Amino acid sequence: MTVQHDPSAPPAPVEAGLMSRALEVAGRLANDAAEVITATAGREHHSGAAHKANPFDWVTDTDRTLERHTRRVLAAEFPGVPVVGEEYGADPDAHHAPYRWVVDPVDGTANYVAGFPWCAYSLALVDASGPVVGVIADPSRAQIYAAARGRGVRANGVPVRVVPRALAGGLICAELGPGRTAGFTRCAAAGHTAIRSLGSSALAITQVALGHAVAAVLEGHREWDVAGAACLATEAGAVIVDGSGRPDPLPGAAMIVALPGALDAVLAWWRASGE
């Protein structure tokens, strides 16, 4: 279930104390998750892992344990603020609450199960205008990325700010369905840009926030996959639009995150790949 927001609403002011406390608690939870994921990655392939709709849609004991832990801590620290999570769904009235927490305990679970180093813990505080706070734990690189509205983004405490760079010779992180992958890849190749699929929407967007990729293009994602990383990207200076090119801090069906100057070309490739 995707929780609705208003993409046209201007970013609302957030009480400074709430934002600081949310950053502190989210960072603590991300550190907890990083330790658990690091200790268990690749060890649940033969025990504790099952798939949902298809053999690549995994759920593990780690997913469930981390989400339960997250919910317990958030309930104690922020009573009355509902939680939306991948494994246990949305709390009552999460659609209408002034704030909601959005958690994906292991984004890139298939990678995690296989021991492939592209999985993340994602947590965001969201209001009607989009993400207020976002924290991503990237255990394989021993990094915690954190951002808050109007406060910028940090990687292990070091400020990050993207700068414009040439699209040609760059990388685009794409998480696309089979109907678009071939066409989008052809368009990007013609523009001398390479495609990488990480298997983690959160980390795909994070690469743009860090300036490693010029863009991320996603479809079929859910709010918990992208909310935390979207906060990072926005605060780092990247641009986020939906598949029609409309600015939206948390697009639904399609999402394009791009460095300044790269959006027009990437959006054109997106449109051409659907023709």
Side-chain angles (χ1 to χ4, degrees):
M1 181 184 301
T2 300
V3 178
Q4 299 298 313
H5 66 283
D6 181 2
S8 65
V14 180
E15 195 271 318
L18 170 63
M19 194 178 295
S20 295
R21 193 158 58 91
L23 269 173
E24 188 277 323
V25 174
R28 176 156 40 96
L29 285 166
N31 275 291
D32 292 345
E35 292 182 2
V36 172
I37 292 170
T38 299
T40 58
R43 299 180 184 179
E44 292 198 59
H45 202 126
H46 301 292
S47 65
H51 60 78
K52 300 176 187 175
N54 64 70
F56 287 101
D57 189 10
W58 290 93
V59 60
T60 69
D61 288 343
T62 299
D63 289 274
R64 301 184 187 98
T65 298
L66 287 178
E67 185 166 327
R68 287 196 300 266
H69 174 63
T70 297
R71 287 174 177 271
R72 282 195 299 268
V73 171
L74 294 178
E77 297 281 355
F78 301 90
V81 179
V83 178
V84 179
E86 180 175 18
E87 304 308 330
Y88 296 104
D91 288 343
D93 296 324
H95 294 75
H96 309 293
Y99 297 101
R100 64 185 178 273
W101 287 101
V102 181
V103 59
D104 189 344
V106 184
D107 183 62
T109 307
N111 291 342
Y112 164 79
V113 170
F116 190 77
W118 285 104
C119 61
Y121 171 87
S122 173
L123 181 62
L125 181 66
V126 177
D127 67 7
S129 302
V132 174
V133 166
V135 176
I136 301 291
D138 184 355
S140 296
R141 274 151 287 281
Q143 293 280 332
I144 303 293
Y145 311 111
R149 185 178 293 165
R151 296 191 182 185
V153 57
R154 294 175 179 267
N156 280 4
V158 179
V160 173
R161 186 75 182 175
V162 300
V163 296
R165 53 177 289 188
L167 189 59
L171 297 176
I172 294 177
C173 295
E175 303 293 331
L176 302 174
R180 282 194 184 267
T181 299
F184 189 84
T185 301
R186 282 195 300 271
C187 291
H192 306 288
T193 304
I195 303 298
R196 295 292 182 269
S197 180
L198 306 183
S200 165
S201 296
L203 290 181
I205 297 169
T206 297
Q207 303 318 301
V208 183
L210 298 174
H212 299 159
V214 294
V217 183
L218 305 94
E219 64 176 345
H221 57 275
R222 305 298 293 271
E223 185 182 47
W224 48 73
D225 299 320
V226 301
C231 189
L232 302 181
T234 298
E235 288 300 314
V239 182
I240 302 178
V241 300
D242 65 15
S244 299
R246 291 187 295 265
D248 188 335
L250 281 177
M255 180 175 188
I256 298 172
V257 184
L259 295 183
L263 177 62
D264 289 347
V266 175
L267 187 58
W269 298 344
W270 165 261
R271 289 167 173 160
S273 70
E275 296 175 349

